[in-house]
Amino acid sequence: DGGITQSPKYLFRKEGQNVTLSCEQNLNHDAMYWYRQDPGQGLRLIYYSQIVNDFQKGDIAEGYSVSREKKESFPLTVTSAQKNPTAFYLCASTPAGGDRRNEQFFGPGTRLTVL
Amino acid sequence: AQSVAQPEDQVNVAEGNPLTVKCTYSVSGNPYLFWYVQYPNRGLQFLLKYITGDNLVKGSYGFEAEFNKSQTSFHLKKPSALVSDSALYFCAVRIDGGATNKLIFGTGTLLAVQP
C-alpha cells in the first residue's frame, strides 16, 4: 500500500448523512484518484485531480464531491444525494515522472456501509 | 470507446500447475497495459505493465504477461501456482499519449489455487 493512507478503514453512516473519507499520500505524487469498487463491477472512477486546486469528474461523480487544497491530500465526501453509497472506496496516486510515472499506487481502502 | 474485458469471473487451478488469467482490450491508439492484484479488504498492488518493447513482460511474484497486438490480449501467466497466489486480479489499460493517467479496469478475476 506504499505511502498512501486512507482513514477510517471501516465507516458506518445513517441514510441522509454526509461523510468524508480521508486520503493522504507522502509520495510527492501529483495526480490522485478516487475509485469505487463493487462486487463484479471492478473499479469505477469517481473523481481525479492532476494538480492542486484542480479536479475533474470521473465516470460516476454524481453524489460525490472532492477538494484538492494540498498536494498530499484528496478527501472524498459522499453526500446524501448518492443513492447507493455502500461500497469499498479506493484512493490512488501517480507520480509525474520517473520510471513508475505510468503506474497508480493504491491506498488500503475504506469500506463504507450505510445503515 | 475504450474497454477491458476479463472473460472469467473465477479461475481454479491446482497448486503447482500453470495458471492463466485472461484479459482483452479495446482502445484507439497504443495501449499501456497493467495487471494488479488485490487481497481481501486491501488496496490493489501493482504486478506488471507493458508500455513498449518485448511482448513478454515479467513482474512480481513470478508472474508474467504476454502482449499480443493482433489478438488485443494481455493474459497473465505463472508457470507454477501457489496457494498464496489466491486473490482477485485486475487488468487495466490507459492510452499512450493521453492527457492523464486515467486507467480503465476490467471487472476482475478471482484466482483460487487449491492445495
Side-chain angles (χ1 to χ4, degrees):
Chain A
D1 299 331
I4 302 177
T5 57
Q6 292 185 242
S7 61
K9 187 173 178 64
Y10 298 97
L11 187 57
F12 298 89
R13 159 198 129 171
K14 294 181 179 179
E15 281 192 35
Q17 289 180 337
N18 292 353
V19 63
T20 298
L21 282 60
S22 169
C23 177
E24 304 279 332
Q25 53 99 359
N26 61 3
L27 302 170
N28 199 33
H29 287 177
D30 289 292
M32 297 186 73
Y33 309 81
W34 273 106
Y35 293 93
R36 171 184 172 134
Q37 184 179 12
D38 296 280
Q41 296 194 48
L43 277 68
R44 293 182 290 169
L45 183 64
I46 304 173
Y47 268 98
Y48 65 101
S49 168
Q50 293 182 263
I51 196 169
V52 175
N53 292 323
D54 186 47
F55 48 83
Q56 288 80 40
K57 293 182 178 179
D59 300 319
I60 55 165
E62 184 176 354
Y64 299 98
S65 65
V66 294
S67 63
R68 187 85 188 276
E69 297 177 0
K70 298 185 296 182
K71 187 176 185 178
E72 58 270 24
S73 179
F74 191 40
L76 173 74
T77 296
V78 184
T79 75
S80 56
Q82 169 50 235
K83 296 179 181 177
N84 186 20
T86 295
F88 190 51
Y89 290 86
L90 288 161
C91 179
S93 66
T94 301
D99 292 342
R100 307 194 74 176
R101 64 185 180 279
N102 296 302
E103 300 171 24
Q104 290 191 11
F105 293 71
F106 283 82
T110 292
R111 186 165 297 281
L112 172 63
T113 302
V114 175
L115 304 173
Chain B
Q2 289 86 21
S3 64
V4 176
Q6 294 182 244
E8 302 154 315
D9 291 335
Q10 183 163 338
V11 169
N12 298 303
V13 64
E15 187 173 31
N17 284 359
L19 70 87
T20 299
V21 182
K22 296 179 180 178
C23 173
T24 59
Y25 65 90
S26 174
V27 301
S28 54
N30 294 322
Y32 289 1
L33 293 154
F34 304 82
W35 276 101
Y36 285 84
V37 60
Q38 184 182 36
Y39 297 97
N41 292 312
R42 300 290 300 276
L44 274 66
Q45 297 178 29
F46 171 80
L47 276 180
L48 51 80
K49 66 182 177 184
Y50 171 82
I51 303 297
T52 187
D54 289 341
N55 290 340
L56 184 63
V57 179
K58 294 188 182 297
S60 306
Y61 313 120
F63 283 93
E64 58 187 29
E66 186 168 11
F67 172 63
N68 187 318
K69 188 173 183 178
S70 62
Q71 297 185 4
T72 62
S73 67
F74 190 57
H75 301 331
L76 182 69
K77 300 182 180 182
K78 187 173 182 180
S80 179
L82 300 173
V83 172
S84 58
D85 292 330
S86 299
L88 187 58
Y89 290 81
F90 288 98
C91 182
V93 65
R94 67 159 283 221
I95 309 306
D96 176 21
T100 73
N101 273 322
K102 286 174 59 179
L103 293 178
I104 301 168
F105 284 87
T107 52
T109 297
L110 184 64
L111 174 65
V113 182
Q114 285 87 36

